[in-house]
Amino acid sequence: MGGALPVPCPPPRDGGADGGRAGPMAEGAWGPAGGGRRRRRRRERGRGGPEGGGAVLRRLREARDELLGSGFWADSAGAVRAPPCGAGRPWRCVCYGLGRFGTCPNARQQLAFLLLLLERMEVPPDHCLVFDPAFSELEVAALGELGLRLLAENEEGKHQVRDSPTLFYMVHCGKALYNNLLWRNWAPAALSNMVIIGNSFKGMQERVLSRILERDYSYIAKILKGTEEVALPAHPRYTDTFNDTSVHWFPLHKLEQLSAEVWEFLEEPTYQECEDLEIIRKEDKGNRRSPVALQS
């Protein structure tokens, strides 16, 4: 999954709409359009896809309506609004490890949450980059209809933040992916310009032995004192989908309080001693380019 290993997914189930007014994307990106797209979906069904692109988008709309009707999206608004970085500047987004949303309800709910988040933050869909080596051609086509852009290759999380504030959406990704992302942006100016929605850093600190965290995931270990974290709310319907998920950001004033030695060590992680690496490496057999990926 975009550098992350697949998370076991329950069997697909139908999701009924729980109501909720359609947002700005509902009449366009949330739904299929155009005869050419219908012909393309027929071709995709002929390739053995689980269902047509229209059905994938319909299920995605249902997942969106469930998020709105359940109250989970409204309850999450406080955590999503918490990071103060950005200061009115336009945001970008990078999404890793989304998974097989065409067949997996959890992945579909995570994608629906992401699309609502893009609406809330006024991020145009083509300013959101997505990667998961597990995507099928049908799912890539659906992402294209939504207006999202596919990264051309597996970055292993090593995406550099530039001038624009950047949201990284990495729900249930492996620890090495977060560690790589931090390493690639290991400077106060870059880290203070990014937000990560993903596995709780506090949870990693609690569950992983300190010597293992410092040896294998040193950048996570070093950034803990410079991190602000707000957990997404618990909800019985989304226990598996968003468990242990938090919003993380790195205030500049906290980063500047860290010792100079913290910033001097810039060695790229290799994970040579890591016994349970939770990402797909570029050289792994499981890695491949995203089908018909668009260059960012």
Side-chain angles (χ1 to χ4, degrees):
M1 300 172 75
L5 294 180
V7 175
C9 184
R13 61 179 184 274
D14 291 328
D18 287 337
R21 184 176 299 275
M25 298 177 71
E27 297 302 325
W30 286 88
R37 289 176 178 171
R38 286 194 292 270
R39 288 191 295 272
R40 184 172 63 196
R41 289 196 296 273
R42 285 197 292 270
R43 290 197 299 270
E44 286 158 352
R45 282 197 292 269
R47 296 185 192 121
E51 52 187 0
V56 171
L57 294 173
R58 172 181 57 79
R59 287 175 176 264
L60 186 58
R61 289 194 299 272
E62 291 172 352
R64 169 195 183 276
D65 291 341
E66 287 182 352
L67 281 167
L68 293 172
S70 68
F72 179 74
W73 170 251
D75 293 343
S76 301
V80 170
R81 286 198 300 261
C85 53
R89 292 175 293 155
W91 282 76
R92 307 169 57 242
C93 177
V94 177
C95 172
Y96 293 127
L98 188 59
R100 296 298 307 277
F101 62 88
T103 55
C104 176
N106 288 349
R108 190 157 50 244
Q109 291 159 358
Q110 291 168 9
L111 176 55
F113 189 96
L114 173 61
L115 293 172
L116 287 169
L117 187 60
L118 296 179
E119 289 182 16
R120 170 66 63 85
M121 300 177 67
E122 299 182 349
V123 178
D126 63 354
H127 284 53
C128 182
L129 306 174
V130 186
F131 182 83
D132 193 318
F135 286 150
S136 68
E137 291 188 11
L138 183 64
E139 287 162 338
V140 168
L143 292 169
E145 292 200 35
L146 292 167
L148 305 179
R149 294 176 60 84
L150 273 291
L151 284 166
E153 61 183 5
N154 185 359
E155 299 179 319
E156 297 182 358
K158 301 170 186 177
H159 189 95
Q160 185 173 17
V161 172
R162 301 189 185 277
D163 296 332
S164 298
T166 304
L167 168 69
F168 290 91
Y169 189 76
M170 307 168 59
V171 180
H172 295 165
C173 286
K175 291 183 287 295
L177 213 64
Y178 300 99
N179 197 57
N180 287 350
L181 175 63
L182 293 171
W183 165 78
R184 189 66 181 88
N185 296 282
W186 197 246
L191 292 171
S192 62
N193 211 26
M194 60 191 279
V195 171
I196 299 174
I197 297 182
N199 297 2
S200 167
F201 284 14
K202 292 179 181 177
M204 296 181 198
Q205 184 181 26
E206 293 169 357
R207 290 189 297 270
V208 181
L209 291 174
S210 59
R211 63 178 180 83
I212 300 297
L213 192 67
E214 293 169 5
R215 183 194 70 189
D216 294 339
Y217 311 107
S218 61
Y219 292 95
I220 296 175
K222 291 188 291 186
I223 203 61
L224 290 171
K225 292 183 179 179
T227 304
E228 292 284 350
E229 176 176 333
V230 176
L232 292 188
H235 192 285
R237 182 177 296 184
Y238 299 107
T239 300
D240 294 333
T241 308
F242 293 105
N243 66 301
D244 195 42
T245 300
S246 292
V247 182
H248 309 79
W249 68 101
F250 314 97
L252 185 59
H253 72 274
K254 295 191 72 169
L255 298 176
E256 290 175 340
Q257 292 172 4
L258 301 179
S259 66
E261 290 77 12
V262 167
W263 308 107
E264 291 173 356
F265 182 81
L266 287 173
E267 184 176 340
E268 182 173 1
T270 61
Y271 308 107
Q272 293 180 353
E273 299 182 71
C274 184
E275 298 179 355
D276 185 23
L277 191 61
E278 303 166 318
I279 66 170
I280 294 174
R281 307 295 292 269
K282 283 184 179 181
E283 63 271 19
D284 289 346
K285 182 179 179 180
N287 173 61
R288 62 178 183 274
R289 288 177 175 267
S290 291
V292 296
L294 299 176
Q295 294 286 349
S296 60

